[in-house]
Amino acid sequence: MKIDNKPWFWIPLLNFASGLPYAIIISVSVIMYKNLGISNEDIGVYTSLLYLPWVIKPLWSPLIELVGTKRKWFLAMQLLISIAFLLVGFIIPLNGFFIMSLSIFWVAAFASASNDIASDGFYLLVLPEDKQSFFIGIRSTFYRLSMLAGNGLVVLFAGYLEHKYGDNTKAWSYTMIAVGLLMTFITVYNFIFTPKNEINTTQNKETHNHQNFATVFTSFFKKKQIGLILAFILVFRLGESQLLKMLSPFLLDGKELGGMGLDTEAVGIIYGTFGVGALTLGGILGGIAISKQGLTKWMLPMFLAMHLPIIGFILLAFFHPSSIYYIYAVVIVEQFGYGFGFTAFMMFLINVAEGESKTAHYAIATGFMALGMMLPGMLSGFIQQYLGYQNFFIWVFIATIPGLILSRFLIFPKDFGKKTQEV
């Protein structure tokens, strides 16, 4: 069997290996530190700083473009992440674990951001454009599935161990060791199944030898419409970035606070079953749609599919229906719309990265995307407290409009992403 021609064998777990470390470092660490007795103030400050490597990753992306192969980079980084999680697990029972584990998470965060750069570049180099458009939905779906696995299954596993042992320290120590072993398995799998030939890298080797860090980085900012492109990337997720931060608090807060009054288990079931199914279906259909008719045809419908479900949360906030099935319906539509619509945004970023140094340029584009998520997300809690949930969701919906307007002025090949042969 020739694995190189079987993207289904390696694309899912390669992208799972990008999302899982992010979920553990950014989200699960918050729950872990809370259960291990760290104050909210320290958790807020120090775990927020762990996000920084994904924002500034464009600064070293040219290094990954110019030195070695993308495959060697992502395998090395995944191995480093595996070791880091194992070390955190062994350190948790020790005195001073907080500072030591934060230091290790910091290393893992830089390794994870580097893994993202190399994995994205590998995908762009190994697959031709027509296959990229088909599998972009699969990539997005498995990335989100890995996030749900981290925030859901890993936390549930830790909770089970807490009840079993009656010792949070032991429970989280074993949990992090288990996560490290899981990452080790994924690394070995990717070593076996990812293609060993980076065709475009070999073809462009002579060109790359004449490049340097500065030319790779600055060439991105010489692209046509770069000012408009950066503005679009920064504001497109303005609404989504705030929605993602405040959605779980809205579902968990009591009705006297304007929330829906659900318990943690109910939220987990909603997102872990029906939400996952809707997300998966949306991502797959989004990739198929673009591969058949191109990005131009589907950009606006997909963006609308991604943003219009916010109206459902506005209705929930105003009417607070007693039946949980209304919440199921809103979440299913929102997750499907997200999976379907985000495919178009990621495909546009691939178009932005086209040309020489596409690995570094894609990293720069996603770095700006991360910045556009980080800054509004940091303010979302203050905005929600000031406006209340009802007006907050209205504001979130309004915040999606600037990105939709800017998208209408973007110029790219009419049939970009449309497949020309069977995948």
Side-chain angles (χ1 to χ4, degrees), residues 50-85:
L50 292 173
Y51 193 91
L52 188 60
W54 282 275
V55 177
I56 64 173
K57 67 180 181 180
L59 296 180
W60 70 88
S61 60
L63 179 66
I64 296 176
E65 181 76 50
L66 298 172
V67 179
T69 67
K70 311 303 177 294
R71 185 174 183 272
K72 289 180 180 178
W73 271 100
F74 69 67
L75 289 174
M77 294 301 101
Q78 289 172 23
L79 179 60
L80 180 57
I81 294 166
S82 303
I83 295 171
F85 288 158

PDB file of all heavy atoms in Angstrom, residues 50-85:
ATOM      1  N   LEU A  50       0.522  31.833  28.194  1.00  0.00           N
ATOM      2  CA  LEU A  50       0.855  30.645  27.413  1.00  0.00           C
ATOM      3  C   LEU A  50       0.334  30.734  25.981  1.00  0.00           C
ATOM      4  O   LEU A  50       0.779  29.991  25.111  1.00  0.00           O
ATOM      5  CB  LEU A  50       0.282  29.393  28.093  1.00  0.00           C
ATOM      6  CG  LEU A  50       0.908  28.992  29.432  1.00  0.00           C
ATOM      7  CD1 LEU A  50       0.126  27.850  30.069  1.00  0.00           C
ATOM      8  CD2 LEU A  50       2.366  28.592  29.253  1.00  0.00           C
ATOM      9  N   TYR A  51      -0.607  31.652  25.731  1.00  0.00           N
ATOM     10  CA  TYR A  51      -1.165  31.815  24.391  1.00  0.00           C
ATOM     11  C   TYR A  51      -0.192  32.526  23.444  1.00  0.00           C
ATOM     12  O   TYR A  51      -0.281  32.396  22.224  1.00  0.00           O
ATOM     13  CB  TYR A  51      -2.469  32.615  24.484  1.00  0.00           C
ATOM     14  CG  TYR A  51      -3.319  32.598  23.236  1.00  0.00           C
ATOM     15  CD1 TYR A  51      -4.306  31.638  23.060  1.00  0.00           C
ATOM     16  CD2 TYR A  51      -3.139  33.532  22.218  1.00  0.00           C
ATOM     17  CE1 TYR A  51      -5.086  31.607  21.925  1.00  0.00           C
ATOM     18  CE2 TYR A  51      -3.916  33.514  21.075  1.00  0.00           C
ATOM     19  CZ  TYR A  51      -4.884  32.549  20.934  1.00  0.00           C
ATOM     20  OH  TYR A  51      -5.637  32.524  19.804  1.00  0.00           O
ATOM     21  N   LEU A  52       0.756  33.260  24.012  1.00  0.00           N
ATOM     22  CA  LEU A  52       1.611  34.141  23.216  1.00  0.00           C
ATOM     23  C   LEU A  52       2.377  33.436  22.100  1.00  0.00           C
ATOM     24  O   LEU A  52       2.509  34.003  20.999  1.00  0.00           O
ATOM     25  CB  LEU A  52       2.577  34.889  24.133  1.00  0.00           C
ATOM     26  CG  LEU A  52       3.415  35.994  23.495  1.00  0.00           C
ATOM     27  CD1 LEU A  52       2.510  37.073  22.898  1.00  0.00           C
ATOM     28  CD2 LEU A  52       4.370  36.600  24.518  1.00  0.00           C
ATOM     29  N   PRO A  53       2.933  32.237  22.291  1.00  0.00           N
ATOM     30  CA  PRO A  53       3.687  31.606  21.196  1.00  0.00           C
ATOM     31  C   PRO A  53       2.894  31.463  19.898  1.00  0.00           C
ATOM     32  O   PRO A  53       3.473  31.577  18.812  1.00  0.00           O
ATOM     33  CB  PRO A  53       4.052  30.235  21.777  1.00  0.00           C
ATOM     34  CG  PRO A  53       4.137  30.470  23.238  1.00  0.00           C
ATOM     35  CD  PRO A  53       3.049  31.455  23.546  1.00  0.00           C
ATOM     36  N   TRP A  54       1.585  31.240  19.986  1.00  0.00           N
ATOM     37  CA  TRP A  54       0.788  31.109  18.760  1.00  0.00           C
ATOM     38  C   TRP A  54       0.594  32.456  18.073  1.00  0.00           C
ATOM     39  O   TRP A  54       0.413  32.508  16.867  1.00  0.00           O
ATOM     40  CB  TRP A  54      -0.568  30.487  19.092  1.00  0.00           C
ATOM     41  CG  TRP A  54      -0.492  29.014  19.287  1.00  0.00           C
ATOM     42  CD1 TRP A  54      -0.554  28.058  18.310  1.00  0.00           C
ATOM     43  CD2 TRP A  54      -0.331  28.306  20.513  1.00  0.00           C
ATOM     44  NE1 TRP A  54      -0.440  26.802  18.860  1.00  0.00           N
ATOM     45  CE2 TRP A  54      -0.312  26.921  20.214  1.00  0.00           C
ATOM     46  CE3 TRP A  54      -0.219  28.704  21.847  1.00  0.00           C
ATOM     47  CZ2 TRP A  54      -0.176  25.943  21.196  1.00  0.00           C
ATOM     48  CZ3 TRP A  54      -0.077  27.734  22.827  1.00  0.00           C
ATOM     49  CH2 TRP A  54      -0.053  26.370  22.502  1.00  0.00           C
ATOM     50  N   VAL A  55       0.666  33.530  18.848  1.00  0.00           N
ATOM     51  CA  VAL A  55       0.526  34.861  18.257  1.00  0.00           C
ATOM     52  C   VAL A  55       1.812  35.288  17.552  1.00  0.00           C
ATOM     53  O   VAL A  55       1.777  35.859  16.462  1.00  0.00           O
ATOM     54  CB  VAL A  55       0.141  35.899  19.337  1.00  0.00           C
ATOM     55  CG1 VAL A  55       0.075  37.310  18.743  1.00  0.00           C
ATOM     56  CG2 VAL A  55      -1.199  35.542  19.965  1.00  0.00           C
ATOM     57  N   ILE A  56       2.955  34.994  18.165  1.00  0.00           N
ATOM     58  CA  ILE A  56       4.233  35.477  17.617  1.00  0.00           C
ATOM     59  C   ILE A  56       4.953  34.428  16.784  1.00  0.00           C
ATOM     60  O   ILE A  56       6.093  34.632  16.374  1.00  0.00           O
ATOM     61  CB  ILE A  56       5.160  35.969  18.753  1.00  0.00           C
ATOM     62  CG1 ILE A  56       5.539  34.814  19.688  1.00  0.00           C
ATOM     63  CG2 ILE A  56       4.498  37.103  19.533  1.00  0.00           C
ATOM     64  CD1 ILE A  56       6.583  35.183  20.738  1.00  0.00           C
ATOM     65  N   LYS A  57       4.301  33.300  16.501  1.00  0.00           N
ATOM     66  CA  LYS A  57       4.977  32.248  15.739  1.00  0.00           C
ATOM     67  C   LYS A  57       5.474  32.699  14.361  1.00  0.00           C
ATOM     68  O   LYS A  57       6.442  32.114  13.851  1.00  0.00           O
ATOM     69  CB  LYS A  57       4.085  31.015  15.608  1.00  0.00           C
ATOM     70  CG  LYS A  57       2.839  31.192  14.758  1.00  0.00           C
ATOM     71  CD  LYS A  57       2.022  29.902  14.705  1.00  0.00           C
ATOM     72  CE  LYS A  57       0.795  30.062  13.831  1.00  0.00           C
ATOM     73  NZ  LYS A  57      -0.004  28.811  13.771  1.00  0.00           N
ATOM     74  N   PRO A  58       4.871  33.725  13.711  1.00  0.00           N
ATOM     75  CA  PRO A  58       5.441  34.161  12.434  1.00  0.00           C
ATOM     76  C   PRO A  58       6.881  34.642  12.538  1.00  0.00           C
ATOM     77  O   PRO A  58       7.599  34.646  11.537  1.00  0.00           O
ATOM     78  CB  PRO A  58       4.517  35.317  12.027  1.00  0.00           C
ATOM     79  CG  PRO A  58       3.217  35.019  12.690  1.00  0.00           C
ATOM     80  CD  PRO A  58       3.598  34.405  14.001  1.00  0.00           C
ATOM     81  N   LEU A  59       7.336  35.016  13.744  1.00  0.00           N
ATOM     82  CA  LEU A  59       8.686  35.545  13.897  1.00  0.00           C
ATOM     83  C   LEU A  59       9.747  34.492  13.604  1.00  0.00           C
ATOM     84  O   LEU A  59      10.846  34.823  13.174  1.00  0.00           O
ATOM     85  CB  LEU A  59       8.878  36.121  15.300  1.00  0.00           C
ATOM     86  CG  LEU A  59       7.999  37.324  15.661  1.00  0.00           C
ATOM     87  CD1 LEU A  59       8.287  37.789  17.082  1.00  0.00           C
ATOM     88  CD2 LEU A  59       8.230  38.468  14.671  1.00  0.00           C
ATOM     89  N   TRP A  60       9.442  33.209  13.890  1.00  0.00           N
ATOM     90  CA  TRP A  60      10.430  32.171  13.591  1.00  0.00           C
ATOM     91  C   TRP A  60       9.964  31.214  12.493  1.00  0.00           C
ATOM     92  O   TRP A  60      10.640  30.236  12.194  1.00  0.00           O
ATOM     93  CB  TRP A  60      10.804  31.402  14.860  1.00  0.00           C
ATOM     94  CG  TRP A  60       9.760  30.508  15.435  1.00  0.00           C
ATOM     95  CD1 TRP A  60       9.532  29.200  15.115  1.00  0.00           C
ATOM     96  CD2 TRP A  60       8.802  30.826  16.446  1.00  0.00           C
ATOM     97  NE1 TRP A  60       8.492  28.691  15.858  1.00  0.00           N
ATOM     98  CE2 TRP A  60       8.030  29.671  16.691  1.00  0.00           C
ATOM     99  CE3 TRP A  60       8.512  31.984  17.174  1.00  0.00           C
ATOM    100  CZ2 TRP A  60       7.000  29.650  17.626  1.00  0.00           C
ATOM    101  CZ3 TRP A  60       7.497  31.956  18.105  1.00  0.00           C
ATOM    102  CH2 TRP A  60       6.749  30.813  18.316  1.00  0.00           C
ATOM    103  N   SER A  61       8.828  31.500  11.868  1.00  0.00           N
ATOM    104  CA  SER A  61       8.364  30.628  10.786  1.00  0.00           C
ATOM    105  C   SER A  61       9.341  30.560   9.608  1.00  0.00           C
ATOM    106  O   SER A  61       9.479  29.492   9.000  1.00  0.00           O
ATOM    107  CB  SER A  61       6.977  31.069  10.306  1.00  0.00           C
ATOM    108  OG  SER A  61       6.996  32.393   9.822  1.00  0.00           O
ATOM    109  N   PRO A  62      10.059  31.656   9.260  1.00  0.00           N
ATOM    110  CA  PRO A  62      11.036  31.520   8.164  1.00  0.00           C
ATOM    111  C   PRO A  62      12.134  30.509   8.457  1.00  0.00           C
ATOM    112  O   PRO A  62      12.675  29.893   7.542  1.00  0.00           O
ATOM    113  CB  PRO A  62      11.609  32.937   8.033  1.00  0.00           C
ATOM    114  CG  PRO A  62      10.517  33.831   8.531  1.00  0.00           C
ATOM    115  CD  PRO A  62       9.912  33.070   9.671  1.00  0.00           C
ATOM    116  N   LEU A  63      12.473  30.318   9.746  1.00  0.00           N
ATOM    117  CA  LEU A  63      13.483  29.323  10.101  1.00  0.00           C
ATOM    118  C   LEU A  63      13.029  27.930   9.696  1.00  0.00           C
ATOM    119  O   LEU A  63      13.799  27.138   9.146  1.00  0.00           O
ATOM    120  CB  LEU A  63      13.758  29.382  11.608  1.00  0.00           C
ATOM    121  CG  LEU A  63      14.779  28.374  12.150  1.00  0.00           C
ATOM    122  CD1 LEU A  63      16.169  28.679  11.589  1.00  0.00           C
ATOM    123  CD2 LEU A  63      14.798  28.405  13.678  1.00  0.00           C
ATOM    124  N   ILE A  64      11.744  27.632   9.952  1.00  0.00           N
ATOM    125  CA  ILE A  64      11.199  26.329   9.580  1.00  0.00           C
ATOM    126  C   ILE A  64      11.083  26.214   8.071  1.00  0.00           C
ATOM    127  O   ILE A  64      11.185  25.115   7.510  1.00  0.00           O
ATOM    128  CB  ILE A  64       9.826  26.132  10.265  1.00  0.00           C
ATOM    129  CG1 ILE A  64      10.021  26.111  11.788  1.00  0.00           C
ATOM    130  CG2 ILE A  64       9.130  24.862   9.793  1.00  0.00           C
ATOM    131  CD1 ILE A  64       8.736  26.021  12.584  1.00  0.00           C
ATOM    132  N   GLU A  65      10.894  27.351   7.394  1.00  0.00           N
ATOM    133  CA  GLU A  65      10.840  27.361   5.928  1.00  0.00           C
ATOM    134  C   GLU A  65      12.194  27.028   5.322  1.00  0.00           C
ATOM    135  O   GLU A  65      12.290  26.348   4.297  1.00  0.00           O
ATOM    136  CB  GLU A  65      10.392  28.747   5.451  1.00  0.00           C
ATOM    137  CG  GLU A  65      10.277  28.891   3.944  1.00  0.00           C
ATOM    138  CD  GLU A  65       9.032  28.210   3.400  1.00  0.00           C
ATOM    139  OE1 GLU A  65       7.925  28.438   3.905  1.00  0.00           O
ATOM    140  OE2 GLU A  65       9.198  27.428   2.438  1.00  0.00           O
ATOM    141  N   LEU A  66      13.270  27.473   5.956  1.00  0.00           N
ATOM    142  CA  LEU A  66      14.593  27.427   5.337  1.00  0.00           C
ATOM    143  C   LEU A  66      15.482  26.296   5.832  1.00  0.00           C
ATOM    144  O   LEU A  66      16.450  25.946   5.173  1.00  0.00           O
ATOM    145  CB  LEU A  66      15.317  28.772   5.582  1.00  0.00           C
ATOM    146  CG  LEU A  66      14.644  30.023   4.988  1.00  0.00           C
ATOM    147  CD1 LEU A  66      15.339  31.275   5.473  1.00  0.00           C
ATOM    148  CD2 LEU A  66      14.658  29.954   3.471  1.00  0.00           C
ATOM    149  N   VAL A  67      15.198  25.755   7.028  1.00  0.00           N
ATOM    150  CA  VAL A  67      16.082  24.750   7.627  1.00  0.00           C
ATOM    151  C   VAL A  67      15.351  23.415   7.736  1.00  0.00           C
ATOM    152  O   VAL A  67      14.288  23.332   8.345  1.00  0.00           O
ATOM    153  CB  VAL A  67      16.553  25.203   9.030  1.00  0.00           C
ATOM    154  CG1 VAL A  67      17.441  24.130   9.650  1.00  0.00           C
ATOM    155  CG2 VAL A  67      17.285  26.533   8.944  1.00  0.00           C
ATOM    156  N   GLY A  68      15.923  22.363   7.156  1.00  0.00           N
ATOM    157  CA  GLY A  68      15.350  21.033   7.283  1.00  0.00           C
ATOM    158  C   GLY A  68      14.074  20.859   6.484  1.00  0.00           C
ATOM    159  O   GLY A  68      13.705  21.680   5.645  1.00  0.00           O
ATOM    160  N   THR A  69      13.379  19.757   6.777  1.00  0.00           N
ATOM    161  CA  THR A  69      12.094  19.491   6.123  1.00  0.00           C
ATOM    162  C   THR A  69      10.971  19.694   7.129  1.00  0.00           C
ATOM    163  O   THR A  69      11.170  19.609   8.338  1.00  0.00           O
ATOM    164  CB  THR A  69      12.037  18.054   5.577  1.00  0.00           C
ATOM    165  OG1 THR A  69      12.047  17.133   6.684  1.00  0.00           O
ATOM    166  CG2 THR A  69      13.204  17.772   4.657  1.00  0.00           C
ATOM    167  N   LYS A  70       9.777  19.944   6.596  1.00  0.00           N
ATOM    168  CA  LYS A  70       8.621  20.152   7.476  1.00  0.00           C
ATOM    169  C   LYS A  70       8.331  18.883   8.278  1.00  0.00           C
ATOM    170  O   LYS A  70       7.945  18.951   9.449  1.00  0.00           O
ATOM    171  CB  LYS A  70       7.387  20.536   6.651  1.00  0.00           C
ATOM    172  CG  LYS A  70       7.617  21.656   5.643  1.00  0.00           C
ATOM    173  CD  LYS A  70       8.122  22.914   6.297  1.00  0.00           C
ATOM    174  CE  LYS A  70       8.412  23.984   5.241  1.00  0.00           C
ATOM    175  NZ  LYS A  70       9.512  23.657   4.329  1.00  0.00           N
ATOM    176  N   ARG A  71       8.527  17.724   7.657  1.00  0.00           N
ATOM    177  CA  ARG A  71       8.248  16.459   8.340  1.00  0.00           C
ATOM    178  C   ARG A  71       9.168  16.268   9.539  1.00  0.00           C
ATOM    179  O   ARG A  71       8.724  15.857  10.614  1.00  0.00           O
ATOM    180  CB  ARG A  71       8.395  15.294   7.351  1.00  0.00           C
ATOM    181  CG  ARG A  71       7.997  13.940   7.931  1.00  0.00           C
ATOM    182  CD  ARG A  71       8.022  12.859   6.852  1.00  0.00           C
ATOM    183  NE  ARG A  71       7.571  11.585   7.381  1.00  0.00           N
ATOM    184  CZ  ARG A  71       8.367  10.694   7.974  1.00  0.00           C
ATOM    185  NH1 ARG A  71       9.669  10.972   8.084  1.00  0.00           N
ATOM    186  NH2 ARG A  71       7.872   9.562   8.436  1.00  0.00           N
ATOM    187  N   LYS A  72      10.442  16.556   9.373  1.00  0.00           N
ATOM    188  CA  LYS A  72      11.376  16.433  10.497  1.00  0.00           C
ATOM    189  C   LYS A  72      11.015  17.409  11.616  1.00  0.00           C
ATOM    190  O   LYS A  72      11.100  17.077  12.803  1.00  0.00           O
ATOM    191  CB  LYS A  72      12.806  16.690  10.020  1.00  0.00           C
ATOM    192  CG  LYS A  72      13.377  15.582   9.157  1.00  0.00           C
ATOM    193  CD  LYS A  72      14.795  15.900   8.716  1.00  0.00           C
ATOM    194  CE  LYS A  72      15.364  14.773   7.852  1.00  0.00           C
ATOM    195  NZ  LYS A  72      16.741  15.102   7.381  1.00  0.00           N
ATOM    196  N   TRP A  73      10.568  18.602  11.229  1.00  0.00           N
ATOM    197  CA  TRP A  73      10.195  19.598  12.230  1.00  0.00           C
ATOM    198  C   TRP A  73       8.996  19.134  13.043  1.00  0.00           C
ATOM    199  O   TRP A  73       9.026  19.157  14.285  1.00  0.00           O
ATOM    200  CB  TRP A  73       9.879  20.937  11.562  1.00  0.00           C
ATOM    201  CG  TRP A  73      11.069  21.835  11.400  1.00  0.00           C
ATOM    202  CD1 TRP A  73      11.815  22.022  10.274  1.00  0.00           C
ATOM    203  CD2 TRP A  73      11.647  22.679  12.404  1.00  0.00           C
ATOM    204  NE1 TRP A  73      12.820  22.928  10.504  1.00  0.00           N
ATOM    205  CE2 TRP A  73      12.743  23.349  11.811  1.00  0.00           C
ATOM    206  CE3 TRP A  73      11.348  22.935  13.737  1.00  0.00           C
ATOM    207  CZ2 TRP A  73      13.533  24.264  12.515  1.00  0.00           C
ATOM    208  CZ3 TRP A  73      12.137  23.844  14.442  1.00  0.00           C
ATOM    209  CH2 TRP A  73      13.219  24.486  13.842  1.00  0.00           C
ATOM    210  N   PHE A  74       7.908  18.709  12.375  1.00  0.00           N
ATOM    211  CA  PHE A  74       6.716  18.402  13.173  1.00  0.00           C
ATOM    212  C   PHE A  74       6.896  17.118  13.984  1.00  0.00           C
ATOM    213  O   PHE A  74       6.359  16.997  15.080  1.00  0.00           O
ATOM    214  CB  PHE A  74       5.428  18.386  12.340  1.00  0.00           C
ATOM    215  CG  PHE A  74       5.245  17.294  11.341  1.00  0.00           C
ATOM    216  CD1 PHE A  74       5.082  15.976  11.719  1.00  0.00           C
ATOM    217  CD2 PHE A  74       5.161  17.601   9.985  1.00  0.00           C
ATOM    218  CE1 PHE A  74       4.874  14.976  10.782  1.00  0.00           C
ATOM    219  CE2 PHE A  74       4.950  16.613   9.046  1.00  0.00           C
ATOM    220  CZ  PHE A  74       4.805  15.295   9.442  1.00  0.00           C
ATOM    221  N   LEU A  75       7.686  16.163  13.485  1.00  0.00           N
ATOM    222  CA  LEU A  75       7.944  14.967  14.286  1.00  0.00           C
ATOM    223  C   LEU A  75       8.772  15.298  15.524  1.00  0.00           C
ATOM    224  O   LEU A  75       8.489  14.801  16.628  1.00  0.00           O
ATOM    225  CB  LEU A  75       8.653  13.911  13.435  1.00  0.00           C
ATOM    226  CG  LEU A  75       7.814  13.236  12.354  1.00  0.00           C
ATOM    227  CD1 LEU A  75       8.677  12.327  11.493  1.00  0.00           C
ATOM    228  CD2 LEU A  75       6.652  12.448  12.962  1.00  0.00           C
ATOM    229  N   ALA A  76       9.774  16.154  15.362  1.00  0.00           N
ATOM    230  CA  ALA A  76      10.600  16.553  16.511  1.00  0.00           C
ATOM    231  C   ALA A  76       9.776  17.331  17.529  1.00  0.00           C
ATOM    232  O   ALA A  76       9.907  17.123  18.749  1.00  0.00           O
ATOM    233  CB  ALA A  76      11.787  17.395  16.035  1.00  0.00           C
ATOM    234  N   MET A  77       8.922  18.235  17.053  1.00  0.00           N
ATOM    235  CA  MET A  77       8.113  19.036  17.969  1.00  0.00           C
ATOM    236  C   MET A  77       7.072  18.189  18.688  1.00  0.00           C
ATOM    237  O   MET A  77       6.809  18.384  19.880  1.00  0.00           O
ATOM    238  CB  MET A  77       7.438  20.173  17.203  1.00  0.00           C
ATOM    239  CG  MET A  77       8.393  21.223  16.643  1.00  0.00           C
ATOM    240  SD  MET A  77       9.409  22.041  17.902  1.00  0.00           S
ATOM    241  CE  MET A  77      10.987  21.160  17.698  1.00  0.00           C
ATOM    242  N   GLN A  78       6.467  17.231  17.993  1.00  0.00           N
ATOM    243  CA  GLN A  78       5.488  16.358  18.650  1.00  0.00           C
ATOM    244  C   GLN A  78       6.155  15.492  19.713  1.00  0.00           C
ATOM    245  O   GLN A  78       5.578  15.241  20.778  1.00  0.00           O
ATOM    246  CB  GLN A  78       4.779  15.497  17.605  1.00  0.00           C
ATOM    247  CG  GLN A  78       3.817  16.284  16.723  1.00  0.00           C
ATOM    248  CD  GLN A  78       3.259  15.473  15.567  1.00  0.00           C
ATOM    249  OE1 GLN A  78       3.229  14.246  15.612  1.00  0.00           O
ATOM    250  NE2 GLN A  78       2.807  16.161  14.519  1.00  0.00           N
ATOM    251  N   LEU A  79       7.371  15.053  19.440  1.00  0.00           N
ATOM    252  CA  LEU A  79       8.111  14.282  20.448  1.00  0.00           C
ATOM    253  C   LEU A  79       8.422  15.142  21.661  1.00  0.00           C
ATOM    254  O   LEU A  79       8.285  14.699  22.813  1.00  0.00           O
ATOM    255  CB  LEU A  79       9.399  13.727  19.844  1.00  0.00           C
ATOM    256  CG  LEU A  79      10.282  12.912  20.790  1.00  0.00           C
ATOM    257  CD1 LEU A  79       9.534  11.692  21.315  1.00  0.00           C
ATOM    258  CD2 LEU A  79      11.572  12.486  20.079  1.00  0.00           C
ATOM    259  N   LEU A  80       8.814  16.396  21.423  1.00  0.00           N
ATOM    260  CA  LEU A  80       9.109  17.321  22.523  1.00  0.00           C
ATOM    261  C   LEU A  80       7.853  17.585  23.364  1.00  0.00           C
ATOM    262  O   LEU A  80       7.916  17.633  24.597  1.00  0.00           O
ATOM    263  CB  LEU A  80       9.661  18.629  21.964  1.00  0.00           C
ATOM    264  CG  LEU A  80      10.035  19.716  22.986  1.00  0.00           C
ATOM    265  CD1 LEU A  80      11.053  19.187  23.991  1.00  0.00           C
ATOM    266  CD2 LEU A  80      10.576  20.948  22.267  1.00  0.00           C
ATOM    267  N   ILE A  81       6.718  17.744  22.710  1.00  0.00           N
ATOM    268  CA  ILE A  81       5.451  17.953  23.421  1.00  0.00           C
ATOM    269  C   ILE A  81       5.120  16.730  24.277  1.00  0.00           C
ATOM    270  O   ILE A  81       4.685  16.859  25.429  1.00  0.00           O
ATOM    271  CB  ILE A  81       4.315  18.233  22.418  1.00  0.00           C
ATOM    272  CG1 ILE A  81       4.544  19.566  21.707  1.00  0.00           C
ATOM    273  CG2 ILE A  81       2.962  18.247  23.124  1.00  0.00           C
ATOM    274  CD1 ILE A  81       3.664  19.758  20.482  1.00  0.00           C
ATOM    275  N   SER A  82       5.323  15.537  23.727  1.00  0.00           N
ATOM    276  CA  SER A  82       5.049  14.307  24.477  1.00  0.00           C
ATOM    277  C   SER A  82       5.888  14.250  25.747  1.00  0.00           C
ATOM    278  O   SER A  82       5.382  13.952  26.833  1.00  0.00           O
ATOM    279  CB  SER A  82       5.350  13.084  23.607  1.00  0.00           C
ATOM    280  OG  SER A  82       4.615  13.112  22.401  1.00  0.00           O
ATOM    281  N   ILE A  83       7.173  14.564  25.614  1.00  0.00           N
ATOM    282  CA  ILE A  83       8.076  14.551  26.773  1.00  0.00           C
ATOM    283  C   ILE A  83       7.649  15.608  27.790  1.00  0.00           C
ATOM    284  O   ILE A  83       7.661  15.365  29.007  1.00  0.00           O
ATOM    285  CB  ILE A  83       9.525  14.781  26.317  1.00  0.00           C
ATOM    286  CG1 ILE A  83       9.996  13.607  25.446  1.00  0.00           C
ATOM    287  CG2 ILE A  83      10.449  14.976  27.512  1.00  0.00           C
ATOM    288  CD1 ILE A  83      11.337  13.832  24.779  1.00  0.00           C
ATOM    289  N   ALA A  84       7.240  16.782  27.290  1.00  0.00           N
ATOM    290  CA  ALA A  84       6.831  17.869  28.181  1.00  0.00           C
ATOM    291  C   ALA A  84       5.624  17.462  29.026  1.00  0.00           C
ATOM    292  O   ALA A  84       5.599  17.697  30.248  1.00  0.00           O
ATOM    293  CB  ALA A  84       6.517  19.121  27.364  1.00  0.00           C
ATOM    294  N   PHE A  85       4.624  16.858  28.417  1.00  0.00           N
ATOM    295  CA  PHE A  85       3.432  16.448  29.169  1.00  0.00           C
ATOM    296  C   PHE A  85       3.772  15.360  30.194  1.00  0.00           C
ATOM    297  O   PHE A  85       3.236  15.359  31.314  1.00  0.00           O
ATOM    298  CB  PHE A  85       2.342  15.955  28.220  1.00  0.00           C
ATOM    299  CG  PHE A  85       1.690  17.051  27.412  1.00  0.00           C
ATOM    300  CD1 PHE A  85       1.035  16.764  26.230  1.00  0.00           C
ATOM    301  CD2 PHE A  85       1.726  18.369  27.846  1.00  0.00           C
ATOM    302  CE1 PHE A  85       0.419  17.767  25.491  1.00  0.00           C
ATOM    303  CE2 PHE A  85       1.120  19.384  27.113  1.00  0.00           C
ATOM    304  CZ  PHE A  85       0.474  19.073  25.930  1.00  0.00           C
TER     305      PHE A  85
END
